Amino acid sequence: MKRFAGILVLLLFGGLISPGQDPALPPPPRPAAPAPKPAQEKKPDRRQGAQADDQKLDRESVIKVDTDLVLLDVSVIDQTNNPIFDLKKEDF
């Protein structure tokens, strides 16, 4: 029985003293960033829809767009929630 108790004590204290997991590994090194190209080798990035950049502009063209007018009633208040009544178009 003493042997069993001694083994049990060793197992309990051995489990408390020894770590249950391996220590954390350091993160792997990051790969080096590629070297930037010299200025003479860089080509300007082409934008999506860049064909429009290559076309000549026609100054006499007219663009017509259908729109809807939306009228809104608005209230303007100051920092203390007091209404401001005497605003003019020039205030905006």
Side-chain angles (χ1 to χ4, degrees):
M1 183 72 173
K2 286 185 180 184
R3 218 180 225 179
F4 179 71
I7 292 173
L8 184 61
V9 168
L10 284 175
L11 288 175
L12 287 175
F13 284 118
L16 293 176
I17 296 172
S18 67
Q21 297 179 352
D22 294 334
L25 298 174
R30 293 184 180 178
K37 294 181 181 180
Q40 64 218 32
E41 292 182 21
K42 283 188 178 180
K43 293 182 181 177
D45 293 334
R46 297 219 14 129
R47 298 179 302 150
Q48 185 177 12
Q51 298 90 0
D53 293 341
D54 297 335
Q55 297 175 357
K56 293 183 180 180
L57 296 176
D58 184 12
R59 301 280 180 192
E60 298 175 6
S61 296
V62 176
I63 297 175
K64 293 185 179 183
V65 179
D66 290 331
T67 60
D68 294 324
L69 178 63
V70 178
L71 299 176
L72 299 174
D73 293 328
V74 295
S75 299
V76 179
I77 56 174
D78 63 8
Q79 293 176 348
T80 57
N81 284 338
N82 293 324
I84 300 175
F85 296 108
D86 57 347
L87 290 175
K88 298 177 184 77
K89 183 170 62 171
E90 294 82 28
D91 294 332
F92 295 95

